[in-house]
Amino acid sequence: MEGGTKLRYWLTLFSGMLECLCFAGVVFGYASLVFVLKADGYFHHLCDHDPGVNGTGTSTDCSRQDERFSLVFTIASFLNNFLCFINGFLFDRFGTMVTRLLGISLYTTGSLLVAFSSPASSDLLFPALSCLAVGGILLLLTNMQVGNLFPSHRSTIITLYNGAFDSSSAVFLIFKVLYEGGVSLRSSFLVLSVCSVIHLVRTLLLMPRSHIPHPLPHNYTYGLSCGKANSYNVEQFEKMRDGALTQGRGRGDHPSVPAPGDTTVDQEPGQGRSFRSCVLSWFFLFHLLWLSIMQLRHYLFIGTLNPRLVRLAGDDAHRVSQFTNAFAVTQLCGVLCAPWNGLIMDRNKGKPLDPGEGEQEAELRSSWLSLCLTVVQGLLFSVSASVPVLWVQYLTFALQVLNRSFLYGGNAAFISIAFPSCHFGKLYGLVMCVSAVVSLLQFPCCALVEGLLDGDPFIVDVALTLLTLLAFIHPVYVFIHCRKLRGTREDEVQTEAANGCGLTEAKV
């Protein structure tokens, strides 16, 4: 690898991490933003003011205001995931530059809508937060392919970027602190929109027009060089590679290990497994169950954090602000937690493979432990969130950021391991899209808590904790599958050895 090419790889890696850390997932710092929006009077007209006993005082019921803020986040988080399938298709079909330009446009539009909104136009928050969410996930989607530049640390980099995405939610904490220091929300969001120029420059200089291939060809380059776009044809390379794999299978070479549910009928020439066979595999279906359950728990927690803290703090605004800040600060740790998940998945890289074992099988064997640890963390987080004690929420915040960083990093890394890279964008988008439909259950859950349960979320928390147990199906299935593959391989080796001994005896 030439020195200039290596430098460009590293610049792409670090600039991508900063992009995810400072911009991509800001919408998930919504709890800090709600605190500021309430102070500015957004949706305040939904609060009911009732006269007290004998007219000596008034009481204020702002449950309808909380529901409206919750609805804003529900719609934004839903579109963030639901549109991922379309976004993934655009990424696979049109490449990095087109996808990033769309993401930058949406992100800039969202930040400008918040900047020029006001309490009188509170409903602008609906399209604004949705644009920020969808634009941010597009930035993350195009950045995850950077892991292909460093093959031996691919899963680590993918999880690192997802951790940075989670940590970017702390940006709204910075806005909250600036607001308390006298800086208006409009000024903060105007600066955020101007930073889109940085994303545009990075798109032209440090990202490919199409895709970064996997495996990486020798001296692969991309971006603008001396005013000219690189002419490297990624699609041609992938067709040549797939054609070589097909010929290798025809000669009787050992093919890569297929995931359960794979069918040879759906195979397309030069493409390996078809998209349809990937979607219909048990790997995909159980992975979808695994993500949907735990994502619903996280979305419900984030969307209802402010009224939860208000209830536990006895409507003490100072303590609510203190715990809101603590939650936002813990989000910064996502970028520190996520790489550990990648290291778990990459722990077998560089080690010699067992006889007859493929690279994909070795990576799958590494992934089941990561998937299992993620469910254990999710269960502990859900139990902690169910405890109606204010100081316990410090522990809940720590478990939430740890589990969230493992969840999304592990989601992307597993898809890149278990399925062909040519379908990554579509499969990643589809699993996020379907899980978004499940996440819509957070709104009826919120309505149930605010209505029938009189603001006490304990019963809903317990129900979601029990539901989390179903997520263990996925890692157990991956573990059993890997055990079966290993047993089949050992039987084949023993059969070949026995056949060899029989031939020797016949010759004698």
Side-chain angles (χ1 to χ4, degrees):
M1 185 186 298
E2 298 177 359
T5 301
K6 186 176 182 180
L7 176 62
R8 178 167 291 189
Y9 286 7
W10 282 103
L11 286 175
T12 300
L13 174 65
F14 286 116
S15 61
M17 190 178 74
L18 288 175
E19 185 173 79
C20 291
L21 183 62
C22 299
F23 302 98
V26 294
V27 71
F28 294 102
Y30 187 64
S32 298
L33 182 63
V34 166
F35 190 90
V36 176
L37 294 173
K38 280 187 172 182
D40 272 350
Y42 282 72
F43 296 125
H44 186 69
H45 64 280
L46 296 175
C47 291
D48 297 322
H49 304 279
D50 298 324
V53 180
N54 298 326
T56 56
T58 59
S59 62
T60 304
D61 178 13
C62 289
S63 60
R64 290 171 59 210
Q65 181 191 34
D66 289 334
E67 285 184 14
R68 187 62 59 89
F69 277 122
S70 177
L71 182 61
V72 170
F73 180 76
T74 299
I75 293 176
S77 58
F78 168 74
L79 292 177
N80 173 75
N81 288 1
F82 185 75
L83 295 180
C84 268
F85 179 62
I86 298 175
N87 296 337
F89 176 80
L90 290 174
F91 177 59
D92 286 345
R93 177 66 180 84
F94 298 103
T96 303
M97 181 172 289
V98 172
T99 307
R100 284 183 62 83
L101 290 177
L102 174 62
I104 293 168
S105 300
L106 288 171
Y107 197 89
T108 307
T109 300
S111 55
L112 288 175
L113 283 174
V114 178
F116 291 105
S117 67
S118 66
S121 57
S122 299
D123 287 336
L124 280 179
L125 292 177
F126 285 97
L129 269 294
S130 296
C131 285
L132 282 174
V134 177
I137 199 68
L138 283 171
L139 295 179
L140 174 64
L141 178 63
T142 56
N143 275 315
M144 284 191 291
Q145 62 180 325
V146 174
N148 295 344
L149 297 175
F150 304 87
S152 59
H153 303 288
R154 187 180 177 212
S155 295
T156 302
I157 292 172
I158 291 174
T159 54
L160 178 65
Y161 274 18
N162 278 271
F165 177 86
D166 294 338
S167 294
S168 65
S169 58
V171 170
F172 281 169
L173 169 64
I174 298 174
F175 286 7
K176 176 177 177 292
V177 173
L178 291 174
Y179 178 84
E180 292 171 341
V183 179
S184 68
L185 198 62
R186 172 169 296 182
S187 300
S188 297
F189 273 93
L190 284 175
V191 171
L192 192 68
S193 63
V194 170
C195 288
S196 295
V197 176
I198 300 174
H199 309 319
L200 186 60
V201 171
R202 183 170 178 271
T203 300
L204 298 175
L205 299 181
L206 292 175
M207 295 296 285
R209 290 179 61 88
S210 53
H211 305 92
I212 300 175
H214 176 74
L216 198 69
H218 182 63
N219 282 340
Y220 166 69
T221 58
Y222 52 89
L224 296 180
S225 181
C226 299
K228 238 176 174 181
N230 190 292
S231 59
Y232 185 85
N233 193 324
V234 176
E235 287 73 18
Q236 173 111 15
F237 165 78
E238 291 182 341
K239 286 180 181 178
M240 291 172 60
R241 180 196 65 196
D242 291 335
L245 287 174
T246 303
Q247 293 175 7
R249 292 188 184 100
R251 292 192 304 268
D253 294 344
H254 192 278
S256 58
V257 178
D262 194 11
T263 58
T264 56
V265 177
D266 295 322
Q267 300 301 319
E268 298 171 358
Q271 292 296 326
R273 298 182 62 203
S274 69
F275 175 69
R276 179 172 178 269
S277 69
C278 293
V279 172
L280 296 179
S281 68
W282 287 113
F283 268 6
F284 183 83
L285 296 176
F286 286 146
H287 186 69
L288 177 62
L289 176 71
W290 175 85
L291 176 66
S292 299
I293 291 175
M294 287 188 287
Q295 179 176 260
L296 173 62
R297 188 68 185 98
H298 281 276
Y299 279 4
L300 184 64
F301 179 76
I302 295 172
T304 61
L305 180 61
N306 185 266
R308 180 188 296 265
L309 292 178
V310 169
R311 178 182 178 84
L312 295 179
D315 210 14
D316 185 335
H318 175 72
R319 298 188 75 187
V320 172
S321 177
Q322 176 186 344
F323 275 82
T324 301
N325 290 349
F327 172 74
V329 169
T330 58
Q331 301 307 297
L332 285 170
C333 299
V335 71
L336 302 177
C337 301
W340 291 103
N341 194 18
L343 290 172
I344 292 172
M345 289 187 159
D346 283 337
R347 69 186 187 276
N348 287 328
K349 292 284 181 70
K351 294 181 180 179
L353 301 176
D354 294 338
E357 183 181 37
E359 182 180 347
Q360 186 191 34
E361 183 184 346
E363 290 181 330
L364 281 175
R365 190 159 40 84
S366 298
S367 67
W368 79 267
L369 178 59
S370 165
L371 297 171
C372 188
L373 283 175
T374 304
V375 183
V376 171
Q377 294 165 1
L379 189 61
L380 292 175
F381 155 62
S382 190
V383 170
S384 179
S386 303
V387 179
V389 178
L390 186 61
W391 66 265
V392 175
Q393 301 313 304
Y394 284 124
L395 175 61
T396 305
F397 297 161
L399 290 171
Q400 189 270 342
V401 70
L402 176 64
N403 182 236
R404 182 177 168 81
S405 62
F406 267 62
L407 179 65
Y408 289 105
N411 169 46
F414 181 81
I415 292 174
S416 70
I417 288 171
F419 304 103
S421 60
C422 60
H423 300 313
F424 175 80
K426 295 186 289 293
L427 289 170
Y428 178 82
L430 183 60
V431 76
M432 297 295 284
C433 173
V434 178
S435 66
V437 177
V438 178
S439 71
L440 286 177
L441 291 173
Q442 63 182 300
F443 189 69
C445 287
C446 292
L448 176 65
V449 170
E450 295 295 335
L452 187 62
L453 300 179
D454 195 26
D456 186 356
F458 181 74
I459 294 178
V460 173
D461 287 338
V462 172
L464 290 174
T465 300
L466 296 175
L467 188 64
T468 303
L469 295 172
L470 290 177
F472 278 108
I473 294 174
H474 187 34
V476 170
Y477 184 79
V478 173
F479 176 76
I480 293 174
H481 173 71
C482 292
R483 287 287 297 271
K484 285 182 178 179
L485 287 177
R486 186 171 184 177
T488 302
R489 191 174 62 251
E490 290 175 351
D491 290 342
E492 290 175 353
V493 171
Q494 292 175 1
T495 302
E496 290 176 2
N499 290 338
C501 291
L503 289 173
T504 303
E505 291 175 358
K507 288 180 181 179
V508 173

